[in-house]
Amino acid sequence: MSRPPSSQTTPQFHRVSERDLTEIELHSVDSINDLHRTHPEHSQKGVRPPRPAYSPSLNGNLFTCDMSAVNQRRRPVSSKWQTRLQDMLTPSSSHAYAMGCAIITLLLLTVFLIFYFLVQQGGAVQMLTEAVREKEETAKELSLLIQELQALRKNLTVMRGGS
């Protein structure tokens, strides 16, 4: 088997006594109580305190990890725009409220523009209807004038022919 690269360190175990574990537990309880006292929004059911940086094992040994080795294995730090994009996509109550308001505003604006367009089209249709009526009236008048002219021409030809 090959040896692990030098950038990766092997975990180290330290023996922790029962008294130390009890002290750690009491300190954790005190810290949680302080957190609940200073930040009542964290005292709701289902909210868990942050996990400790160590993972106790069953045999009482404390597992520690070299964070420099962990950071070397992680992906590179994302750029600012990626972080901002993630923040925009991460749901939060104020963000969700703002997005909801923006969506409702856009929907209302769209409905307003549709009604405005329909009113404009209604006005244009009314003007066209009036123009068509006027054209029909003018056509009727012209046909009556043509009939009168034809009658006058007949009368004039009859008068010229009879004289």
Side-chain angles (χ1 to χ4, degrees):
M1 297 217 92
S2 65
R3 199 170 150 218
S6 60
S7 67
Q8 295 178 349
T9 59
T10 58
Q12 300 172 353
F13 292 97
H14 301 282
R15 179 75 181 144
V16 178
S17 68
E18 286 295 319
R19 193 178 110 213
D20 289 341
L21 284 175
T22 304
E23 190 174 324
I24 290 170
E25 288 174 2
L26 289 174
H27 181 69
S28 297
V29 169
D30 287 341
S31 297
I32 292 170
N33 288 338
D34 289 343
L35 177 69
H36 287 224
R37 193 168 10 90
T38 57
H39 300 287
E41 67 271 8
H42 291 294
S43 62
Q44 300 168 355
K45 262 189 175 178
V47 176
R48 295 184 180 182
R51 297 187 77 205
Y54 60 87
S55 303
S57 63
L58 295 175
N59 62 3
N61 291 335
L62 189 61
F63 175 76
T64 60
C65 184
D66 183 11
M67 290 308 287
S68 63
V70 170
N71 286 336
Q72 289 174 0
R73 285 180 269 161
R74 284 191 185 161
R75 290 181 287 154
V77 179
S78 63
S79 64
K80 286 183 182 180
W81 67 270
Q82 287 174 327
T83 305
R84 287 182 187 165
L85 182 62
Q86 286 175 345
D87 289 344
M88 285 173 46
L89 296 176
T90 303
S92 68
S93 60
S94 61
H95 185 193
Y97 178 77
M99 289 297 285
C101 287
I103 289 171
I104 289 171
T105 303
L106 287 174
L107 287 173
L108 289 174
L109 184 62
T110 303
V111 168
F112 174 75
L113 288 174
I114 289 171
F115 280 121
Y116 178 76
F117 178 74
L118 289 175
V119 167
Q120 293 294 321
Q121 294 302 314
V125 167
Q126 187 177 5
M127 286 175 40
L128 287 173
T129 304
E130 288 177 19
V132 167
R133 278 191 204 138
E134 288 177 9
K135 183 179 177 184
E136 287 175 353
E137 289 174 10
T138 307
K140 284 180 184 178
E141 286 179 23
L142 281 175
S143 72
L144 287 175
L145 286 174
I146 291 172
Q147 288 174 1
E148 285 181 28
L149 280 174
Q150 288 174 346
L152 285 175
R153 181 182 271 174
K154 264 187 192 178
N155 289 339
L156 192 61
T157 54
V158 169
M159 285 174 55
R160 281 188 193 164
S163 347

